[in-house]
Amino acid sequence: MTAKTTTNTPKKKKSLPPSKASIWRPGLGIKRCFFALAAGFIFLCCGIILLFSTTWALCVEESLTNASLNWLGWHISSFSVDIFLLVLGLVCLGWGLWRAASFLYNASQAHPSSSMMDALALGRRRNYGLKIVALGGGTGLSTLLRGLKKYTSNITAVVSVSDNGGSSGRLSKELAMLPPGDIRNCLTALADDEDLLTELFRFRFDKGESQSLGGHAFGNLFIAALNQIYGDFEVALKKGSALLAIRGRVLPATLTATVLCAKMRDGRIIKGESEIPSAQGEITDVFLEPGSCQAPPEVIKAIEEADAIILGPGSLYTSVMPNLLIKNIVKALERTEAPIIYVCNVMTQNGETDGYTAADHLQAIYHHLKKPLVDYVIANASAPNKKLLEKYAKEGSKPVVLDYERLQSMGVHPVYAKLSKDEQLVRHDPDYLAEAIMDLLGEVKYRDGSEGADSMRSPN
């Protein structure tokens, strides 16, 4: 890609949240449980003592009865006092035990390998965690969500809905609905019982057994059924999210059926998200048809209230960019004071970003946004092993070059961290990626006990 490097001055953003690395801090709700249990025990004991009418108990009852007559003008019998204290004690004990059991169960389910105190703190922390809005699509967005949900439940995933291939494309055409594939992946990524749900929602019916169901993923049919039942895609998503008990929200970038189009260097116009990578040409611009589509009010409100906004990871032109082509989303990004973070891909993508550096990715985003809105770029600092590099080279894919100085000249702060593992595929690891982001936002303490700011250094 031949792109001009521009020097941009980033807009003034609010400061990143202060570090909250300490695990133990007020707000866990444990003290309330202990207080309720202690109060319940005291009330219950007093009620039992008074009920058996010992000499001391009779004196107490007489005093309470006289006090009620003098202060309130009410007559309270000794038996009423006994029953009241017994009931109050049982209520306090019951509430305290229920809350304690809920805390312990939720903590053990969410963090089975952590100590109970750490698990309680992390569970509470998620409920009051940062408000994060993630814009993207494809497998990249679901990977990000899978890691982020361990730190906060206040996540809003804004998903591009221009997919026209496979099961999603078929359902979109046959049932006149938005493509459900990327939304399905995000729902499963944010669910508590992720492994079972992912296996179920990814299950595809055999094409040889049924022409109508063949090739469809169960999760896509689940969303399609909800859409048919309620007749409203937004309502269907809310009902599905509640049913799956996901941590956060999943929202479509627009409720309008759109087609993603790409203008190539040779003048061709390619229509359809699935057709763009296979066109084998240099992309100069992407746009949506119709260009007048708008994001739902809920999306705009989430961006305006966010503590941080994340773009990517994912295919630059077919996953990340579609959200940035919606005008009211761009205007909301211009208004927000929240830091905007772009997560750069680990590898170039054949047919989309051949030869792109990290700065080329950002330059393409700026070209379509018309303004420099990104504050931080997070890029992978770990090199894949030789065998994986050879495998990807045969497919026309190479590691994204991290041109640090050029990124700085574009007005952003580059942050390099280990984001991938040496496995069969070179892709972002959910835990590494989430840890890098939350460290940047001052939210976590690294596994070795060191503070985050010292664990992520940009190369000099």
Side-chain angles (χ1 to χ4, degrees):
M1 174 182 176
T2 57
K4 295 182 179 179
T5 302
T6 58
T7 302
N8 301 304
T9 303
K11 64 179 181 179
K12 186 178 180 180
K13 299 284 186 177
K14 68 180 180 182
S15 301
L16 291 176
S19 176
K20 300 176 183 176
S22 176
I23 286 293
W24 173 260
R25 62 181 188 272
L28 293 181
I30 297 175
K31 292 189 293 292
R32 286 192 291 271
C33 284
F34 285 148
F35 178 79
L37 290 172
F41 179 75
I42 292 171
F43 289 141
L44 195 62
C45 289
C46 290
I48 292 173
I49 292 173
L50 293 176
L51 188 63
F52 284 96
S53 299
T54 63
T55 303
W56 176 81
L58 289 172
C59 293
V60 172
E61 287 177 348
E62 185 177 353
S63 299
L64 288 172
T65 302
N66 292 333
S68 66
L69 289 171
N70 293 332
W71 295 345
L72 303 174
W74 297 345
H75 177 72
I76 301 176
S77 67
S78 60
F79 182 74
S80 298
V81 173
D82 304 343
I83 297 302
F84 174 75
L85 290 175
L86 285 172
V87 172
L88 183 60
L90 289 172
V91 169
C92 290
L93 279 174
W95 185 86
L97 290 171
W98 173 75
R99 289 290 291 171
S102 298
F103 279 141
L104 296 175
Y105 175 77
N106 292 333
S108 63
Q109 291 294 107
H111 303 278
S113 60
S114 302
S115 67
M116 187 54 64
M117 188 57 68
D118 285 354
L120 285 170
L122 290 172
R124 187 73 171 181
R125 180 180 188 161
R126 282 204 313 266
N127 293 335
Y128 293 93
L130 295 177
K131 295 178 181 179
I132 296 179
V133 174
L135 296 93
T139 57
L141 180 58
S142 58
T143 297
L144 171 67
L145 300 178
R146 194 169 288 114
L148 283 181
K149 73 177 181 182
K150 298 177 182 178
Y151 298 98
T152 177
S153 295
N154 299 314
I155 304 171
T156 301
V158 180
V159 188
S160 60
V161 286
S162 54
D163 185 9
N164 69 327
S167 171
S168 290
R170 287 171 57 193
L171 289 173
S172 180
K173 293 175 183 177
E174 294 172 4
L175 301 179
M177 61 177 288
L178 294 177
D182 290 347
I183 289 175
R184 174 203 81 210
N185 290 333
C186 292
L187 288 174
T188 57
L190 289 174
D192 273 327
D193 195 353
E194 183 188 335
D195 293 337
L196 175 61
L197 198 62
T198 299
E199 184 179 356
L200 177 63
F201 271 37
R202 284 183 179 176
F203 172 80
R204 290 187 182 273
F205 293 91
D206 193 342
K207 292 183 179 180
E209 295 178 359
S210 171
Q211 292 184 349
S212 58
L213 290 178
H216 280 305
F218 174 79
N220 291 350
L221 297 176
F222 170 79
I223 296 173
L226 289 174
N227 184 60
Q228 292 283 78
I229 292 170
Y230 295 104
D232 185 301
F233 197 79
E234 275 189 297
V235 175
L237 274 187
K238 289 178 181 179
K239 296 293 184 180
S241 299
L243 185 61
L244 301 175
I246 69 169
R247 300 177 193 169
R249 296 183 297 172
V250 178
L251 303 175
T254 180
L255 295 172
T256 304
T258 57
V259 177
L260 181 65
C261 307
K263 182 179 179 181
M264 315 302 286
R265 179 70 64 184
D266 57 13
R268 288 179 297 156
I269 301 295
I270 309 300
K271 294 188 176 185
E273 179 184 312
S274 59
E275 284 77 20
I276 292 173
S278 58
Q280 294 300 316
E282 185 179 342
I283 300 170
T284 59
D285 292 276
V286 288
F287 57 94
L288 291 174
E289 290 184 349
S292 59
C293 62
Q294 295 284 299
E298 208 169 351
V299 170
I300 303 305
K301 184 180 179 182
I303 293 175
E304 292 173 344
E305 296 177 350
D307 293 312
I309 297 166
I310 303 172
L311 310 178
S315 301
L316 177 63
Y317 287 108
T318 55
S319 292
V320 178
M321 209 70 81
N323 294 316
L324 306 181
L325 300 175
I326 300 173
K327 293 180 180 179
N328 61 339
I329 286 183
V330 176
K331 289 180 180 179
L333 293 176
E334 291 174 359
R335 292 193 303 268
T336 183
E337 293 183 353
I340 299 177
I341 303 167
Y342 171 58
V343 180
C344 189
N345 290 340
V346 177
M347 305 290 289
T348 62
Q349 186 172 354
N350 185 29
E352 282 200 45
T353 56
D354 301 273
Y356 275 36
T357 65
D360 289 332
H361 283 76
L362 183 62
Q363 187 62 46
I365 291 174
Y366 281 179
H367 172 69
H368 287 82
L369 286 176
K370 310 300 182 186
K371 291 184 179 181
L373 299 180
V374 177
D375 301 286
Y376 299 89
V377 174
I378 295 182
N380 182 42
S382 57
N385 62 56
K386 187 176 180 180
K387 290 184 178 180
L388 281 175
L389 287 177
E390 291 175 352
K391 174 185 175 182
Y392 273 84
K394 294 178 181 178
E395 300 172 357
S397 182
K398 298 179 180 179
V400 173
V401 175
L402 311 177
D403 39 359
Y404 180 76
E405 293 183 358
R406 185 180 165 202
L407 284 171
Q408 280 191 316
S409 73
M410 296 173 72
V412 300
H413 179 72
V415 179
Y416 295 167
K418 182 180 180 180
L419 302 180
S420 65
K421 293 180 179 178
D422 283 346
E423 297 178 340
Q424 295 181 348
L425 298 173
V426 182
R427 56 188 175 188
H428 289 94
D429 176 77
D431 293 330
Y432 287 168
L433 178 56
E435 189 174 23
I437 290 171
M438 299 308 289
D439 176 69
L440 176 61
L441 299 176
E443 276 290 292
V444 298
K445 192 173 185 179
Y446 265 71
R447 295 187 183 102
D448 60 1
S450 61
E451 296 298 334
D454 295 329
S455 300
M456 288 177 59
R457 295 185 293 269
S458 302
N460 296 318

